[in-house]
């Protein structure tokens, strides 16, 4: 059964939940967040995400809820909005893993963007993050590039895989 999720446009009100998410070492393991965020770092990160939303016709970054429970963040921040290029990301609490919530959250975020406009969506993942590889491929993303050893964490150099997907704007 597909989980029922709702997306709330990201706002400053989500700071406590986002801060807890970004402070979890398991959540940030394969992200560009090098170490668990302090409260101040989480506030800066949230402000950057909110800045990405300025000037867009509608929100593209969301808090993910299952019922009333915060589950994480998902969205498509602009890479180059004037060219119709966006990125996809999703970060969910570990309690959600293995339940299909990552796929459902990513699908919901892509649907929101697809309702707005045609877009080229970029995503990348660390190759050993098999859950994210499966999610991207199930969503129709195609691997476009491999960056050997480009992700360094805990003394390990891991490959990053770049993916692309085109949205029709007919969401």
């Amino acid at each position: 059964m597909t989980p029922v999720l709702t997306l709330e446009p990201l706002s400053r009100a989500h700071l406590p939940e986002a801060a807890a998410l970004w402070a979890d070492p398991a959540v940030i393991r394969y992200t560009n967040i090098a170490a668990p965020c302090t409260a101040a770092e989480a506030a800066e990160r949230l402000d950057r995400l909110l800045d990405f939303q300025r000037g867009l016709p509608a929100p593209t970054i969301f808090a993910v809820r299952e019922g009333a429970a915060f589950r994480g963040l998902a969205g498509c921040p602009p890479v180059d909005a004037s060219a119709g290029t966006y990125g996809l990301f999703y970060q969910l609490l570990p309690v959600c893993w293995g339940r299909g919530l990552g796929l459902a959250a990513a699908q919901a975020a892509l649907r929101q963007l697809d309702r707005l406009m045609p877009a080229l969506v970029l995503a990348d993942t660390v190759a050993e993050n098999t859950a994210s590889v499966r999610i991207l491929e199930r969503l129709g993303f195609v691997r476009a590039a491999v960056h050997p050893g480009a992700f360094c964490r805990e003394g390990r150099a891991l490959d990053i895989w770049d993916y692309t997907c085109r949205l029709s704007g007919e969401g």
Side-chain angles (χ1 to χ4, degrees), residues 15-169:
L15 179 57
E17 296 161 319
L21 182 76
W22 295 325
D24 188 321
V27 170
I28 65 167
R29 180 177 183 198
Y30 293 122
T31 71
N32 65 356
I33 304 170
C37 288
T38 65
E41 290 165 340
E44 288 175 20
R45 182 169 286 281
L46 181 68
D47 286 342
R48 280 194 305 274
L49 288 176
L50 293 172
D51 283 346
F52 285 137
Q53 300 299 277
R54 294 192 207 306
L56 296 179
T60 63
I61 303 174
F62 306 92
V64 177
R65 294 209 182 275
E66 183 182 29
F70 175 83
R71 295 301 190 206
L73 302 173
C76 300
V79 174
D80 182 348
S82 64
T85 306
Y86 290 77
L88 170 68
F89 82 98
Y90 44 92
Q91 298 166 334
L92 300 176
L93 294 167
V95 68
C96 302
W97 298 355
R99 299 181 40 223
L101 293 176
L103 177 63
Q107 281 175 323
L110 288 169
R111 247 189 328 271
Q112 292 295 323
L113 181 61
D114 196 26
R115 288 182 184 132
L116 293 177
M117 68 195 82
L120 173 65
V121 183
L122 311 176
D124 60 47
T125 188
V126 175
E128 81 172 25
N129 187 351
T130 56
S132 280
V133 169
R134 278 193 309 272
I135 287 169
L136 293 172
E137 291 178 355
R138 283 189 65 190
L139 290 169
F141 280 78
V142 175
R143 192 175 324 152
V146 175
H147 304 281
F151 184 84
C152 298
R153 188 72 49 95
E154 299 168 359
R156 298 173 60 213
L158 305 170
D159 295 353
I160 293 179
W161 291 352
D162 289 347
Y163 285 85
T164 63
C165 181
R166 280 221 177 266
L167 301 181
S168 65

